[in-house]
Amino acid sequence: MSFENIIGNEKNKEFLNKIIDSNSTVHSYMFEGIEGIGKSIFAKEFAKMLLCIGNDKKNCARCKSCLEFVNSNNPDYVQIDSDGKIIKIEQIRQMQEKILEKPIVSSKKVYVINDADLMTKEAQNCLLKTLEEPPEFVIIILVLANESKILNTVKSRCMRIFFSKLKDEELKKYESTSVNSPECSIIRSYIDLLLNLPWNKSTTDNKDLILAKKILDETHYGLNDVKDRIVEYLALRTRTKNTNSSVICLVGPPGVGKTTLCKSIAKAMNRKYVKISVGGLNDSSEIMGNRRTYIGAFPGKIIQGIKKCGSNNPVFVIDEIDKLCKDIKGDPASSLLEVLDKEQNKYFVDNYVEECFDLSKVMFITTANDVENIPLALKDRLEIIDLSSYTEYEKLHIAKEHLIKLALEEYKLDSNSIKFSDEIIFKIIRCYTKEAGVRELERVINKIVRKIVKKMLEDKKDTTSVKITDKKLEELLGKPKYENTKVLESTPGVVNGLAYTSYGGTVLPIEVVMYPSKEPVKLTGNLGDVMKESVSIALGYIKSHAEDLKIDEKLFDSSCIHINAIEGGIPKDGPSAGTALTTAIISMLLKKSVPNTVAMTGEMTLTGKVLPIGGLKEKSLGAYQAGVNKMFVPKLNEADLSDIPKEVKDKIEIVLVQNYMDIYNDLFKGSEENVRNKKNKRNKKSI
């Protein structure tokens, strides 16, 4: 940690080193010189040495202060930047509000004001008060190119240090540096990066909206909301040339086509495509880059991606932002705020490049599996677009129009070499895949084609036409991996709930039994805290409404209610199982079974109110695939019914409920009346 890797201005290096060695600092400095000669680099290196708490302030890279500085999270270092035009008085006031707070890590606090000559007169006068009587532990460094814009009163209170261009003898020195020296390698890598960055290279956007829509339709089935959003963006660009559009975030389970859709968007817009993954990323320098003064320094992923694609306006995909991590190395999510903010990214500065790069022309698209795991500050900058699970019919279409064709083309087969009927494709979907998207379906189809190609080569028959039958399918793939339905037999205490998993919606059977025990409740099935609370709410509701529910309260006195959620190896959590848990317990207590073709979802309150849930479309698809023909849904989710596919609505009776008694009256009170009517009929016949 020193100035040794900074080129030029040797006298300033010597002078600043003497200040460090003698511990003879003043409260304010002014670094002056033309643009691009390294003033900001000097200021930061100087600040690091001032804050260092190690024994060797010129070479320390191990103390707490230095490590936190490297990760851009040293609390004793504050940097103030302009918006490219001015530094407002509000920025100086914000600095003054915290300037009296004592250092946390070091013995000093350092404030660096870049582009200080862009301060308004009001801001300079405000700063003057601090320069006159600064706290003893505060050091302020002003970095500027035009000293004529600085008030004389400000200048007089700063130690002024002038920076000049490299002298001819210094240039000759670096020209004569051995090519094998580390210094030469660092300089060459930096220059190569600067020369290869597409500062002014742009691609011309496709302005044909019809053509763009056609390209999107050819590559992806459905996803109309996303396609319309892209066409809207192109229309806006065509009419206003405005690039300040909100960042799209595609949210959906794995395999629904988020990444491939981004590629299609780039193609439709006639832009370059670049993708980075930030899943598991915990180091902010991966986004913002490392300082060139560090060994092994490199630019951040953003600049690397821009350089790779060779364009300053690509479609830039940031994948898996819901899996960002935060630890001692920094907070990458906070670093992305600047990248994705349309007001800031025009002046994006990578720590390695140390020059402003305009990212405002880039179309950023982010992807995530779970919107709840996206940091709130980051989510605020995103326009969330949900990519929900595919229906069986959508998967059928995708398989016929895309997956099978691609598989046959990959293995150099014509379209008639292998024939898949609709029935066979449905069987593959239902019995050999279990997912919301089509990724596993693609793998299974490729596996079938590979095995057939292998058989053709073994038999030396290249032109054989193979028709996939049920028998042939089992020969190639083995016995079915998944059952077509998960519902259990109709018996008291068993009810079908609905869950939203990583592979889409599914039926979640809940079973309840009772037996003598001092333990009032027992839970199994890998339930999370929220679901355990739902059990408590269900029991509280049942006990407080026992009379209305026709339940004998004495049953709770000496019996244990054992609740189990099927598939105990899979963690389960969330409040939406409230109605199913309540119904299962009531079914057990009343000894009345609920038809196994009935399913339900909804959060419960202690008063019986049914609250809305998420993932209704996915849950309805799971119910449909499991053979459910009746589904209880919160009335507050009525607006979401439009998202449910027509084929699902045609097969499932959807009952909207506001209060749990709506479910009770439908399932249990109605059954009582049926029993009573049957008894009356028998009595009439006997008479």
Side-chain angles (χ1 to χ4, degrees):
M1 184 175 67
S2 67
F3 303 115
E4 62 184 13
N5 290 326
I6 301 177
I7 303 172
N9 287 284
E10 300 299 325
K11 290 184 178 180
N12 288 341
K13 293 178 186 178
E14 184 179 350
F15 178 69
L16 294 174
N17 279 325
K18 284 182 180 179
I19 291 175
I20 297 295
D21 292 337
S22 61
N23 195 24
S24 57
T25 57
V26 298
H27 287 295
S28 54
Y29 296 86
M30 185 178 292
F31 287 13
E32 305 174 42
I34 63 173
E35 295 286 350
I37 57 175
K39 303 183 299 295
S40 296
I41 303 173
F42 269 94
K44 286 195 174 181
E45 290 299 320
F46 188 43
K48 276 184 279 184
M49 288 189 279
L50 290 170
L51 296 175
C52 179
I53 56 178
N55 294 325
D56 188 354
K57 296 181 179 293
K58 295 178 185 178
N59 296 295
C60 175
R62 300 174 297 277
C63 72
K64 184 178 180 182
S65 176
C66 291
L67 291 173
E68 289 186 348
F69 209 110
V70 172
N71 296 318
S72 302
N73 57 4
N74 191 314
D76 299 329
Y77 175 79
V78 180
Q79 181 175 305
I80 299 174
D81 298 302
S82 71
D83 61 359
K85 297 180 180 178
I86 59 171
I87 294 177
K88 300 177 181 178
I89 187 173
E90 288 80 8
Q91 293 174 267
I92 304 301
R93 285 173 176 168
Q94 288 174 6
M95 180 188 83
Q96 290 175 328
E97 288 176 1
K98 296 186 176 182
I99 206 166
L100 295 175
E101 297 176 1
K102 292 185 178 180
I104 298 173
V105 179
S106 184
S107 61
K108 298 181 177 67
K109 288 179 71 174
V110 179
Y111 290 81
V112 174
I113 304 178
N114 286 320
D115 300 323
D117 48 344
L118 297 181
M119 284 191 291
T120 62
K121 287 186 178 180
E122 293 81 5
Q124 292 186 52
N125 285 319
C126 184
L127 178 64
L128 187 61
K129 298 177 182 178
T130 302
L131 295 177
E132 289 173 345
E133 297 180 1
E136 61 179 7
F137 50 80
V138 169
I139 296 173
I140 299 172
I141 304 174
L142 306 182
V143 181
L144 52 97
N146 189 354
E147 57 88 19
S148 64
K149 294 184 178 180
I150 300 295
L151 298 175
N152 290 326
T153 49
V154 174
K155 294 178 189 176
S156 65
R157 286 163 174 79
C158 299
M159 177 180 286
R160 299 172 69 179
I161 300 175
F162 299 89
F163 291 80
S164 61
K165 290 183 178 180
L166 291 177
K167 297 179 180 179
D168 289 341
E169 57 266 25
E170 290 176 323
L171 288 172
K172 290 178 182 179
K173 172 186 172 183
Y174 288 104
E175 285 177 359
S176 61
T177 302
S178 172
V179 294
N180 298 319
S181 70
E183 188 177 4
C184 183
S185 172
I186 293 169
I187 297 169
R188 187 171 59 249
S189 298
Y190 178 66
I191 293 173
D192 285 344
L193 175 66
L194 291 182
L195 292 175
N196 287 289
L197 279 176
W199 300 94
N200 297 304
K201 284 185 181 180
S202 303
T203 56
T204 304
D205 283 349
N206 169 38
K207 297 181 180 180
D208 189 338
L209 303 184
I210 297 174
L211 176 61
K213 186 70 163 59
K214 182 181 178 182
I215 292 171
L216 292 171
D217 288 337
E218 286 176 351
T219 53
H220 284 78
Y221 179 76
L223 307 178
N224 293 323
D225 290 343
V226 187
K227 294 175 182 177
D228 290 343
R229 177 66 182 83
I230 300 306
V231 175
E232 288 171 6
Y233 177 88
L234 290 173
L236 181 67
R237 287 273 298 158
T238 302
R239 187 165 181 86
T240 66
K241 297 183 180 180
N242 182 17
T243 60
N244 290 336
S245 176
S246 55
V247 178
I248 294 172
C249 181
L250 303 178
V251 179
V256 296
K258 299 186 294 292
T259 304
T260 54
L261 178 62
C262 293
K263 290 182 180 179
S264 298
I265 291 170
K267 184 180 179 182
M269 297 178 68
N270 192 39
R271 291 194 179 192
K272 298 290 184 67
Y273 170 83
V274 60
K275 171 180 168 290
I276 64 171
S277 178
V278 295
L281 197 69
N282 63 351
D283 190 348
S284 56
S285 64
E286 292 280 348
I287 303 295
M288 303 301 292
N290 300 108
R291 301 289 175 193
R292 283 190 293 120
T293 53
Y294 304 131
I295 297 173
F298 53 84
K301 287 181 177 289
I302 303 299
I303 290 298
Q304 289 181 40
I306 294 291
K307 178 191 173 186
K308 183 180 178 181
C309 71
S311 168
N312 65 1
N313 67 334
V315 172
F316 200 119
V317 180
I318 303 176
D319 198 25
E320 296 183 324
I321 62 166
D322 57 329
K323 298 178 180 64
L324 285 167
C325 302
K326 179 181 179 181
D327 64 12
I328 193 172
K329 294 181 180 179
D331 184 8
S334 298
S335 300
L336 281 177
L337 296 178
E338 181 183 349
V339 174
L340 301 179
D341 194 318
K342 61 184 179 182
E343 301 296 332
Q344 300 181 54
N345 63 11
K346 189 173 182 179
Y347 308 101
F348 174 74
V349 178
D350 183 277
N351 291 329
Y352 184 88
V353 178
E354 294 180 332
E355 296 289 341
C356 290
F357 192 94
D358 186 2
L359 295 178
S360 63
K361 298 177 181 179
V362 178
M363 182 178 184
F364 285 104
I365 302 177
T366 61
T367 70
N369 295 134
D370 189 354
V371 70
E372 298 300 323
N373 293 332
I374 302 174
L376 289 176
L378 191 56
K379 189 174 18 178
D380 185 59
R381 287 163 169 79
L382 305 176
E383 179 182 345
I384 307 295
I385 298 179
D386 289 312
L387 273 67
S388 54
S389 307
Y390 291 116
T391 68
E392 286 185 343
Y393 291 96
E394 287 173 334
K395 289 180 181 180
L396 173 69
H397 181 91
I398 293 168
K400 291 171 66 176
E401 298 299 321
H402 299 283
L403 303 183
I404 295 174
K405 287 182 179 180
L406 289 172
L408 294 175
E409 288 175 4
E410 183 178 352
Y411 296 103
K412 311 297 182 184
L413 299 172
D414 60 59
S415 57
N416 296 317
S417 298
I418 305 174
K419 296 179 179 179
F420 294 82
S421 65
D422 289 0
E423 292 76 16
I424 289 296
I425 296 174
F426 273 130
K427 186 170 182 179
I428 294 171
I429 294 168
R430 293 165 181 168
C431 303
Y432 293 93
T433 66
K434 187 179 181 180
E435 58 179 345
V438 292
R439 191 173 292 161
E440 192 176 357
L441 177 60
E442 182 180 15
R443 285 196 288 265
V444 172
I445 290 172
N446 281 331
K447 183 178 180 179
I448 292 171
V449 175
R450 283 199 309 271
K451 286 182 175 293
I452 291 175
V453 169
K454 178 188 173 185
K455 182 67 174 173
M456 288 180 176
L457 294 174
E458 288 176 348
D459 297 341
K460 298 181 180 180
K461 295 180 180 179
D462 294 338
T463 58
T464 303
S465 180
V466 179
K467 184 179 180 181
I468 307 298
T469 60
D470 289 344
K471 183 180 179 182
K472 189 72 175 177
L473 193 63
E474 289 198 12
E475 287 179 7
L476 296 169
L477 301 177
K479 295 291 183 181
K481 294 170 59 180
Y482 306 106
E483 297 180 7
N484 192 29
T485 179
K486 286 178 60 178
V487 298
L488 304 180
E489 293 182 2
S490 299
T491 186
V494 177
V495 171
N496 292 318
L498 294 170
Y500 183 25
T501 68
S502 59
Y503 53 82
T506 184
V507 170
L508 177 62
I510 295 171
E511 52 185 6
V512 178
V513 296
M514 289 186 68
Y515 48 83
S517 176
K518 294 181 180 179
E519 185 181 11
V521 181
K522 186 174 182 178
L523 305 176
T524 53
N526 208 345
L527 307 184
D529 291 338
V530 178
M531 199 163 177
K532 289 177 181 177
E533 289 181 355
S534 296
V535 172
S536 299
I537 292 170
L539 289 170
Y541 172 79
I542 293 169
K543 290 178 180 180
S544 62
H545 294 77
E547 186 177 348
D548 297 333
L549 299 171
K550 310 295 189 221
I551 292 172
D552 186 0
E553 296 182 52
K554 295 179 181 178
L555 293 171
F556 298 101
D557 295 340
S558 60
S559 298
C560 174
I561 297 177
H562 187 164
I563 301 171
N564 179 54
I566 305 298
E567 292 187 310
I570 301 174
K572 308 168 188 71
D573 206 5
S576 64
T579 54
L581 288 165
T582 305
T583 305
I585 297 170
I586 293 173
S587 173
M588 184 69 251
L589 294 170
L590 295 177
K591 304 296 182 186
K592 295 177 180 177
S593 60
V594 175
N596 63 353
T597 56
V598 173
M600 60 194 70
T601 181
E603 181 180 354
M604 280 273 297
T605 70
L606 284 171
T607 58
K609 188 176 181 180
V610 182
L611 302 180
I613 47 83
L616 182 60
K617 178 185 176 183
E618 286 75 16
K619 290 177 179 179
S620 66
L621 288 171
Y624 170 76
Q625 293 168 6
V628 170
N629 59 27
K630 188 173 187 177
M631 186 168 67
F632 292 96
V633 174
K635 185 169 177 59
L636 294 174
N637 281 106
E638 188 171 7
D640 299 325
L641 295 181
S642 58
D643 298 331
I644 300 176
K646 185 178 181 299
E647 58 263 31
V648 175
K649 292 179 182 177
D650 291 342
K651 293 292 180 66
I652 299 179
E653 178 190 357
I654 298 174
V655 182
L656 298 173
V657 295
Q658 288 181 301
N659 191 282
Y660 180 76
M661 290 306 295
D662 297 335
I663 300 175
Y664 177 85
N665 292 332
D666 191 302
L667 295 176
F668 300 114
K669 195 172 182 180
S671 63
E672 287 179 2
E673 293 176 357
N674 291 335
V675 170
R676 200 179 301 113
N677 292 332
K678 288 180 180 178
K679 286 182 178 178
N680 291 334
K681 287 181 180 179
R682 291 196 201 99
N683 292 333
K684 286 180 181 179
K685 287 180 180 179
S686 61
I687 292 170

